[in-house]
Amino acid sequence: MEDLLNMDITPYTDKIIAEYIWIGGSGIDLRSKSRTISKPVKHPSELPKWNYDGSSTGQAPGEDSEVILYPQAIFKDPFRGGNNILVICDTYTPAGEPIPTNKRYKAAEIFSKKKVIDEVPWYGIEQEYTLLQQNVKWPLGWPVGGYPGPQGPYYCAAGADKSFGRDISDAHYKACLYAGINISGTNGEVMPGQWEFQVGPSVGIEAGDHVWCARYILERITEQAGVVLTLDPKPIEGDWNGAGCHTNYSTKSMREDGGFEVIKKAILNLSLRHKEHISAYGEGNERRLTGKHETADINTFSWGVANRGCSIRVGRETEKQGKGYLEDRRPASNMDPYVVTGLLAETTLLWEPTLEAEALAAQKLAMKV
């Protein structure tokens, strides 16, 4: 079996295997299926559209179940190797309308606006995740039915009694680099059995494509390892850190001289749309955003320099240099990166509050802009 799985077919055929990947009906479940393509391809436009049974993914009724896959981004396949590829797709009706769970479509619209293109929005996304033992759905390395020692020794730690799942994290890191994903680092997290990888800096829609493909690769690796991956924002109740997906964001104006003033204006806009953002930042996030464990309270918008207990954190270096980026600490680990990146661009670049609302927000946040 291993020999067949690792077989390099490139000397024998020009044909390749394309794994078409899409997001299912829950908005977080990844689905995929394979097809043979006659020769290697370099761009998604060279690939045919395809279809699947949407009634089996909660995305279409049984009597009209066909959903169409549009190839949007290509990555090298680290599992099959050779010229084989992973294909990130979005989803449409046969008439060409995006289905409701197709969040990429709206994000692509936002990122195609001239005002957004001109500002070259950069994203750095910190994806936290938790590894669970397969049969008991309890974190990897934890005693079954029991708890390890309290948090403190586990963050970025080494050792068999502190680090659980490093092989999965490292395998994922290498697989992402092989695939062409813009992965920029990994680390063990505060709660034992929890890890993080970072993707970016990525521009515009690319951020969402790369995070979704990285999630798919992680699902496949944990499948092979017999470990369960969860993106639940609070997998273990009590005095344990939740799992977030902190999103670092900057525009061209923020990165240039005087950018700190642009950042503060963006924070004002974000404060005025706090409820809209929270409602789109992940299912179950209220269990994580409690004001404890390095989070802000879900109902209260706040910002600060170097403060990890705020909704929006600005780094010391950004304050010192007078330019840089902001970190939105509100998104949950199960957020949709298309939704979050698109919403950040929309709120800070396209949405214009009234002067009165802006003045009230500045007063409330004690911010001079």
Side-chain angles (χ1 to χ4, degrees):
M1 183 76 79
E2 285 295 316
D3 289 345
L4 289 171
L5 286 170
N6 295 325
M7 184 189 296
D8 180 11
I9 61 173
T10 49
Y12 310 105
T13 179
D14 289 334
K15 293 178 180 179
I16 65 164
I17 304 169
E19 191 75 21
Y20 279 49
I21 302 162
W22 71 94
I23 300 149
S26 72
I28 193 68
D29 57 315
L30 282 159
R31 311 287 181 128
S32 74
K33 60 177 186 171
S34 316
R35 73 179 294 169
T36 304
I37 305 296
S38 60
K39 62 179 182 179
V41 298
K42 292 185 177 178
H43 194 271
S45 62
E46 300 174 62
L47 291 166
K49 294 172 185 174
W50 204 9
N51 66 74
Y52 67 93
D53 171 17
S55 69
S56 296
T57 62
Q59 293 172 295
E63 64 273 12
D64 187 14
S65 66
E66 196 166 282
V67 180
I68 313 300
L69 294 167
Y70 286 30
Q72 299 290 1
I74 290 176
F75 298 89
K76 289 173 67 179
D77 187 338
F79 304 102
R80 294 187 174 112
N83 292 319
N84 302 302
I85 54 175
L86 304 177
V87 185
I88 297 294
C89 304
D90 61 353
T91 45
Y92 297 79
T93 67
E97 294 295 319
I99 68 171
T101 51
N102 181 354
K103 305 302 182 186
R104 190 187 191 279
Y105 181 82
K106 184 181 179 184
E109 275 193 329
I110 291 167
F111 289 121
S112 68
K113 304 281 186 189
K114 185 178 186 305
K115 196 171 181 181
V116 178
I117 292 169
D118 290 347
E119 281 290 344
V120 196
W122 286 5
Y123 298 92
I125 297 176
E126 305 171 29
Q127 176 70 69
E128 294 178 349
Y129 61 93
T130 308
L131 300 172
L132 304 177
Q133 300 168 53
Q134 186 172 6
N135 297 324
V136 292
K137 302 293 177 73
W138 198 237
L140 203 63
W142 290 35
V144 176
Y147 295 86
Q151 294 182 157
Y154 310 107
Y155 173 69
C156 295
D161 59 339
K162 296 180 287 291
S163 178
F164 314 117
R166 185 187 299 277
D167 53 347
I168 290 170
S169 174
D170 277 3
H172 178 251
Y173 200 166
K174 285 188 172 182
C176 284
L177 287 171
Y178 176 93
I181 289 167
N182 190 19
I183 188 170
S184 49
T186 67
N187 61 269
E189 265 305 327
V190 177
M191 189 182 89
Q194 197 174 82
W195 292 83
E196 174 182 300
F197 65 87
Q198 302 93 32
V199 172
S202 305
V203 178
I205 198 69
E206 180 186 273
D209 290 338
H210 282 234
V211 169
W212 273 117
C213 193
R215 285 177 173 179
Y216 175 80
I217 290 172
L218 185 56
E219 286 273 19
R220 288 281 302 275
I221 289 170
T222 53
E223 172 193 319
Q224 289 184 14
V227 172
V228 175
L229 167 69
T230 179
L231 297 183
D232 189 294
K234 187 74 174 179
I236 304 296
E237 293 302 319
D239 199 17
W240 303 97
N241 274 35
C245 206
H246 303 152
T247 302
N248 301 282
Y249 168 67
S250 70
T251 62
K252 186 169 179 283
S253 299
M254 293 178 187
R255 297 187 292 269
E256 293 175 344
D257 290 343
F260 195 27
E261 292 305 308
V262 182
I263 289 169
K264 289 197 284 187
K265 170 66 168 64
I267 291 171
L268 278 183
N269 279 23
L270 290 168
S271 75
L272 289 166
R273 297 189 85 194
H274 179 62
K275 285 184 178 178
E276 288 91 332
H277 281 252
I278 287 294
S279 68
Y281 273 16
E283 194 78 29
N285 209 12
E286 71 283 349
R287 294 184 282 114
R288 169 181 161 261
L289 295 180
T290 61
K292 299 176 182 177
H293 306 110
E294 301 178 81
T295 70
D297 180 80
I298 195 167
N299 297 309
T300 307
F301 181 90
S302 58
W303 82 284
V305 175
N307 186 343
R308 283 180 162 77
C310 283
S311 309
I312 305 291
R313 182 184 72 88
V314 175
R316 285 271 177 233
E317 192 65 19
T318 295
E319 181 187 46
K320 182 181 173 184
Q321 297 289 335
K323 58 186 176 182
Y325 68 95
L326 61 85
E327 178 192 30
D328 192 339
R329 296 181 60 81
R330 297 171 295 174
S333 49
N334 59 0
M335 64 79 149
D336 186 325
Y338 294 134
V339 173
V340 171
T341 57
L343 202 48
L344 279 167
E346 182 182 62
T347 295
T348 60
L349 295 173
L350 302 175
W351 183 73
E352 288 292 342
T354 65
L355 290 174
E356 183 183 18
E358 197 175 68
L360 286 170
Q363 187 179 14
K364 186 176 180 182
L365 295 173
M367 183 189 286
K368 294 179 180 177
V369 178

